[in-house]
Amino acid sequence: MQKKVPYIEKRKKQSVMIVDEKPFIALSGEVRNSSASDLQYMEEIVWPNIKELHLNTLIVPVYWETVEPLEGQFDFTLVEGLIHQAREHKLKLIILWFGSWKNGCSTYAPEWIKEDRGTYPFVKKKSGQQIYSITPLCKEAIHKDANAFSMLMKRIREVDENEQTVIMVQVQNEVGSLETDFDYSEEALKLYKQKVPSIVESYVGKSGTWEELFGEDSKEFFMAYHYATAIEEIAAAGKREYNLPFFVNAWLEQFPYRAGIHPSGGPVSKVISFYLHLAPTIMACAPDIYVPNFIEVCDEFAKEQDILLIPEARQDVVTVSNFLYSVGAYSLGCFSPFGIEDIAFRDKEVDKELLKSLSIEATAFDSTGTYPYICKAYEIIGTLYQLICSMKEKNQVFPFIREYVGETGKIIELNDCDMKINYKSVDTNYVPIPAGMIIQVSENEAFVVGTNINVEIISKKDSEKQYGLLALEEGSFVEGIWQRKRILNGDERQINVDDMPNVLRVKWHQY
Ligand code: DGJ
């Protein structure tokens, strides 16, 4: 029987992605923008470099300019090659459709679109100058993009529906207008003065002009409306061919928090529910998180939607701690450091100028030290994921992360006793900060997963009960069964995890 295509399942306490009919988290990495344009480069540089990382998924772009180099003439060599390579390496793929927009620009549109300014106009700044970005008001461009995307999805279904190597698709990449908050073209200015369309009225619950309904954010909401409706047309055309989960990603708002500094109209947190209303074919707006306030961003995005996807994360070591925490804390469907093929290169150059132009701090791309830690963290979570999902349904997963320098730890309140998570002091940026989760599997037994922690079982406040360890084991899960390695007793009788992420089985009793 044909297996169901991947989908998102809403459960009582969480949402999970179902792939091959089982809960699945994409333990992923996103390749650099140009890598997937050359299958030989992928074979020689990318696949060998990611071999030991314990990824189960690779995120790769597919570019409109290569899919439809001449209008109406399609070429799927690259995407078919990527699917073939992924199967050989036993990985799933998440595909990024670099169509009309990539980081707010139209750099990946085919030549025949880029050269025809009359038919496919760019966004205009107040000064009348254009930015290198097709206006989302351009119906002709959207129809052409939707047509190319539907052809791509059709081909993916033809070659992959049985095997299901491709599990999800991102529609466009970091859409929005940079350097301007608004498209100051005549058409946009005219529409902006009118009453909002009825679909926007139904979102707000009343009618009015953009300014009346959205006040100082009205230009950004106007742009968001046009990007989201363009995305809906494109995504719906793709979905008619192949019903995979689709999402969009966001370049986050950053200081000084003005539209145009981040792409105006992109799916930032304040417009998530607006986007999901206008583009129901999209199941999530995903944050690309290079900023240091990781938890705040995750909280903002997670509260607005069922599932949290992080298709782009930092490369430095803190990413390992962020990953361990977010698996425990959210309905996380995907985690993916950007430029994954670079993580194995120890001394790679960081292009500070490029990062500055992308508003990314250089430390986010300093991957010194990350490689062994992320390998181990992905390995552990890969084997524990089914257990984590089932224990989340019983509210028995307790995540933690050190939120500021000097924070000493966290108390996790269990039924009979508490767990005191002591955060080790970490005095370099090149080891993971304390983070992880407790997975309680019975009244007196838990798996401690984490890095740089030391755990004690203590009595509840105002109680003098004493607790001893019945079992403390190193080990790992193999096909869902705990296989113990060393029993830790005597000198090693401490619930302790150093830098390298680890999992320990702990059983305790009252004496
Ligand atoms: C965010 C974009 O989505 C990525 O494609 C890439 O450009 C990174 N920024 C920076 O390298």
Side-chain angles (χ1 to χ4, degrees):
M1 211 176 66
Q2 174 73 43
K3 61 183 173 187
K4 281 195 190 163
V5 293
Y7 62 99
I8 310 300
E9 185 173 281
K10 222 172 154 166
R11 298 185 170 180
K12 284 203 192 96
K13 309 282 180 190
Q14 67 194 319
S15 289
V16 285
M17 185 154 66
I18 305 291
V19 173
D20 294 331
E21 307 195 338
K22 281 204 305 275
F24 183 88
I25 181 170
L27 305 171
S28 194
E30 181 170 326
V31 300
R32 296 194 75 96
N33 297 154
S34 308
S35 302
S37 61
D38 180 3
L39 292 173
Q40 194 178 342
Y41 183 88
M42 288 295 293
E43 206 52 273
E44 287 170 8
I45 309 290
V46 178
W47 294 108
N49 256 319
I50 62 168
K51 218 166 66 203
E52 312 287 329
L53 272 161
H54 295 278
L55 304 183
N56 60 16
T57 305
L58 191 66
I59 304 189
V60 292
V62 171
Y63 324 90
W64 187 7
E65 64 178 355
T66 65
V67 163
E68 195 181 4
L70 297 173
E71 187 170 358
Q73 291 189 22
F74 292 92
D75 179 349
F76 298 106
T77 318
L78 282 176
V79 71
E80 286 176 16
L82 291 168
I83 292 173
H84 175 75
Q85 290 181 345
R87 285 179 189 163
E88 285 205 325
H89 294 275
K90 303 204 174 2
L91 260 69
K92 300 286 187 189
L93 289 178
I94 294 175
I95 282 184
L96 314 176
W97 173 236
F98 282 10
S100 297
W101 301 290
K102 151 64 173 86
N103 297 25
C105 295
S106 295
T107 38
Y108 285 96
E111 235 175 89
W112 53 272
I113 293 264
K114 284 178 180 158
E115 294 272 55
D116 186 354
R117 295 273 53 71
T119 318
Y120 311 109
F122 281 171
V123 167
K124 281 207 180 98
K125 297 207 255 188
K126 221 179 229 163
S127 62
Q129 239 185 8
Q130 306 171 65
I131 60 166
Y132 203 83
S133 188
I134 297 164
T135 170
L137 278 74
C138 176
K139 299 250 175 320
E140 290 71 17
I142 311 308
H143 298 335
K144 291 285 154 64
D145 189 326
N147 181 49
F149 185 61
S150 74
M151 298 296 278
L152 172 68
M153 293 310 296
K154 177 167 180 280
R155 179 54 60 97
I156 295 175
R157 180 177 50 74
E158 285 163 357
V159 299
D160 195 46
E161 196 179 17
N162 286 334
E163 202 136 337
Q164 296 176 6
T165 302
V166 180
I167 56 166
M168 213 166 17
V169 178
Q170 179 188 291
V171 186
Q172 313 293 330
N173 189 84
E174 293 190 348
V175 301
S177 303
L178 279 169
E179 297 170 45
T180 177
D181 58 343
F182 190 74
D183 177 6
Y184 289 89
S185 64
E186 262 176 45
E187 189 195 351
L189 284 165
K190 197 169 121 214
L191 288 171
Y192 178 68
K193 289 196 190 106
Q194 295 170 4
K195 293 216 150 140
V196 300
S198 58
I199 190 167
V200 177
E201 268 178 36
S202 71
Y203 173 77
V204 187
K206 54 182 179 194
S207 78
T209 63
W210 289 93
E211 257 174 17
E212 283 162 358
L213 298 185
F214 297 100
E216 62 173 21
D217 289 329
S218 56
K219 290 200 169 127
E220 191 171 359
F221 269 82
F222 175 92
M223 295 304 282
Y225 165 80
H226 285 282
Y227 283 108
T229 47
I231 286 170
E232 177 59 16
E233 179 178 333
I234 296 163
K239 199 116 188 162
R240 281 194 286 276
E241 296 299 336
Y242 191 22
N243 187 22
L244 284 180
F246 290 165
F247 67 100
V248 290
N249 65 331
W251 173 325
L252 300 177
E253 287 174 272
Q254 275 155 273
F255 182 77
Y257 307 103
R258 291 192 186 151
I261 302 279
H262 63 275
S264 180
V268 294
S269 62
K270 66 169 165 262
V271 297
I272 294 175
S273 59
F274 191 51
Y275 254 74
L276 298 179
H277 179 78
L278 298 167
T281 306
I282 296 296
M283 57 92 187
C285 297
D288 292 342
I289 317 183
Y290 297 99
V291 291
N293 52 331
F294 178 82
I295 302 175
E296 198 183 342
V297 172
C298 290
D299 286 349
E300 277 177 1
F301 275 73
K303 76 172 193 293
E304 298 284 345
Q305 46 197 344
D306 295 337
I307 198 146
L308 178 67
L309 307 172
I310 306 176
E312 293 183 37
R314 302 167 68 100
Q315 291 189 350
D316 54 345
V317 178
V318 74
T319 221
V320 176
S321 310
N322 290 342
F323 164 65
L324 289 171
Y325 171 75
S326 52
V327 174
Y330 308 102
S331 292
L332 186 72
C334 164
F335 189 91
S336 169
F338 180 81
I340 194 72
E341 64 270 52
D342 290 355
I343 285 193
F345 297 156
R346 309 288 140 129
D347 301 316
K348 82 178 160 59
E349 288 279 312
V350 176
D351 184 342
K352 293 200 174 132
E353 282 311 305
L354 169 75
L355 293 174
K356 206 165 146 204
S357 71
L358 295 166
S359 311
I360 297 177
E361 50 178 274
T363 52
F365 272 68
D366 179 359
S367 63
T368 313
T370 306
Y371 183 71
Y373 299 125
I374 194 76
C375 290
K376 188 70 190 203
Y378 271 6
E379 182 185 8
I380 291 173
I381 298 302
T383 59
L384 275 173
Y385 186 64
Q386 304 300 323
L387 178 70
I388 294 172
C389 282
S390 62
M391 296 324 289
K392 271 190 184 174
E393 284 303 301
K394 299 181 180 158
N395 282 336
Q396 296 301 304
V397 177
F398 307 95
F400 52 85
I401 187 167
R402 194 195 73 184
E403 293 191 41
Y404 55 89
V405 178
E407 191 186 8
T408 45
K410 178 167 182 174
I411 300 287
I412 290 175
E413 296 189 22
L414 307 181
N415 275 343
D416 185 51
C417 56
D418 289 344
M419 273 198 179
K420 180 166 170 255
I421 317 290
N422 302 303
Y423 296 158
K424 296 194 176 193
S425 66
V426 169
D427 39 23
T428 125
N429 288 338
Y430 299 123
V431 296
I433 58 168
M437 74 191 90
I438 305 295
I439 308 164
Q440 193 180 2
V441 290
S442 74
E443 197 53 29
N444 68 335
E445 186 181 352
F447 291 93
V448 172
V449 181
T451 167
N452 272 319
I453 47 163
N454 185 285
V455 179
E456 294 164 68
I457 318 273
I458 60 169
S459 64
K460 294 264 172 211
K461 228 162 124 191
D462 302 328
S463 146
E464 281 202 343
K465 287 182 185 170
Q466 288 180 293
Y467 296 90
L469 291 181
L470 290 174
L472 178 58
E473 297 169 358
E474 289 180 327
S476 59
F477 274 85
V478 180
E479 292 179 6
I481 313 273
W482 176 250
Q483 309 277 339
R484 79 152 182 82
K485 291 190 185 118
R486 282 192 308 166
I487 295 174
L488 303 177
N489 211 335
D491 291 348
E492 288 75 48
R493 194 180 168 79
Q494 273 199 55
I495 311 171
N496 181 64
V497 186
D498 293 327
D499 298 349
M500 189 51 74
N502 206 357
V503 50
L504 299 172
R505 175 175 167 260
V506 184
K507 199 171 168 196
W508 60 92
H509 69 145
Q510 192 197 332
Y511 65 92

